[in-house]
Amino acid sequence: STQSTMAVAAGKRAATALIAATLITATTAFHIPKNQLALHAGLRSAAANDSSAFSSDIPTPILEGGSTKAIRLRKQLQEIWNDPTNTSPIILTGPKGSGKSELAEEIVYQLPSWQTKIVHRLTLDDGIDFLDTILGTASHPGLFDDLSVQANTTLVLKGFQSQHVDSKDSLDRRGELIDVLDTMVTKGQFYSTYENSTKAFLPRIVGCTQRPPQYFTERCGKHLNATFIKVPSFEQRKSDIQAIAAAKIKLLERKFGLTNIE
């Protein structure tokens, strides 16, 4: 019927618009509204929480392509998944808009189940608004106090080491949170204000940052026990764009129940 044809056409237009927006941002970044708690528990982020986006048989489109950089990226991730006993931090480094957040979700989804009984996600900008809740105070333990003893937990840090600030107060507060995160990544430790002592931080960390690996090794030395993955920009992967777009189209076709989107 005419109505059915119009509905299908409208669906295709909506899907095409979503494809364009997805390719522009090149990520399914998870952002928690300011009026919600910054540390969020769940098996996947709200932006990635459906089988059409992340499933065992359909990896993130960011991994598609036949370029040398794409092949290396897939190889690095496979090495992580092939080592189920490793609990060292995984740091994704690369320019803004390169798909680090989407890759972080793929990494978490493929990690051993014993490491991801609980997955927490922290966006640095939101963390500043809830610093006392996250880090704790002298009179109350914080969320990191609770997390520190959970070896079956993964903490995903997005916007890690972000440089944007709005005020001097934001700079100071951000610096405090960054110092804590630095210590957790480089030393596997967390200073508890509530207990007034330094304690081991057991959850596995998956972080996204624009900082190069040298930033961390300079702070900790060459013996830093972390896995760094350099995520190339899409400008460096021009030959992969068509394959990435085709993979994203397939995900959207599944999500909206459409076929032959062009």
Side-chain angles (χ1 to χ4, degrees):
S1 66
T2 302
Q3 289 183 336
S4 297
T5 302
M6 292 177 63
V8 171
K12 287 188 175 183
R13 286 195 298 271
T16 302
L18 185 54
I19 292 168
T22 305
L23 289 176
I24 290 172
T25 57
T27 179
T28 54
F30 177 51
H31 185 76
I32 306 172
K34 292 292 184 181
N35 61 350
Q36 295 183 19
L37 189 61
L39 199 60
H40 175 79
L43 288 182
R44 300 181 193 171
S45 71
N49 191 20
D50 67 70
S51 60
S52 67
F54 291 88
S55 66
S56 58
D57 60 327
I58 300 183
T60 169
I62 302 301
L63 293 174
E64 295 293 333
S67 70
T68 301
K69 293 184 182 299
I71 294 172
R72 180 180 180 182
L73 195 57
R74 291 195 294 269
K75 181 179 179 181
Q76 287 178 305
L77 295 191
Q78 194 60 56
E79 288 174 351
I80 291 173
W81 298 325
N82 288 344
D83 190 2
T85 62
N86 192 346
T87 58
S88 63
I90 303 166
I91 308 299
L92 298 162
T93 70
K96 183 178 181 180
S98 57
K100 297 187 297 293
S101 292
E102 192 168 328
L103 288 173
E105 296 297 340
E106 183 72 18
I107 289 172
V108 171
Y109 184 62
Q110 300 288 354
L111 284 178
S113 58
W114 72 268
Q115 293 183 16
T116 55
K117 296 294 184 182
I118 300 175
V119 177
H120 291 275
R121 293 168 176 84
L122 173 63
T123 300
L124 183 57
D125 289 337
D126 296 316
I128 296 173
D129 294 337
F130 300 95
L131 203 59
D132 289 343
T133 302
I134 294 172
L135 301 182
T137 66
S139 56
H140 297 285
L143 291 173
F144 280 176
D145 284 288
D146 296 333
L147 286 180
S148 63
V149 297
Q150 298 179 16
N152 62 349
T153 295
T154 295
L155 174 62
V156 182
L157 301 173
K158 299 185 179 183
F160 181 41
Q161 301 295 342
S162 173
Q163 299 299 294
H164 177 72
V165 291
D166 297 319
S167 65
K168 176 63 165 58
D169 180 63
S170 293
L171 178 63
D172 294 340
R173 299 289 280 178
R174 182 181 294 256
E176 185 177 349
L177 181 56
I178 285 177
D179 286 343
V180 171
L181 297 178
D182 268 350
T183 304
M184 286 164 48
V185 170
T186 58
K187 299 180 180 180
Q189 296 178 336
F190 163 65
Y191 176 76
S192 170
T193 301
Y194 177 69
E195 297 182 11
N196 191 28
S197 64
T198 299
K199 54 199 299 187
F201 191 81
L202 300 183
R204 189 163 199 183
I205 295 175
V206 179
C208 302
T209 179
Q210 296 182 52
R211 299 272 194 177
Q214 291 81 357
Y215 171 84
F216 297 93
T217 55
E218 288 173 358
R219 297 172 73 92
C220 193
K222 296 181 179 180
H223 302 293
L224 173 61
N225 184 26
T227 300
F228 289 94
I229 298 177
K230 184 177 181 180
V231 182
S233 66
F234 286 97
E235 287 78 6
Q236 297 174 306
R237 298 182 58 193
K238 292 180 180 179
S239 63
D240 296 330
I241 296 300
Q242 185 174 354
I244 293 172
K248 285 187 178 289
I249 288 173
K250 288 185 181 299
L251 292 181
L252 292 171
E253 285 180 340
R254 171 182 287 193
K255 182 174 183 179
F256 291 103
L258 302 173
T259 58
N260 300 323
I261 297 177
E262 297 180 358

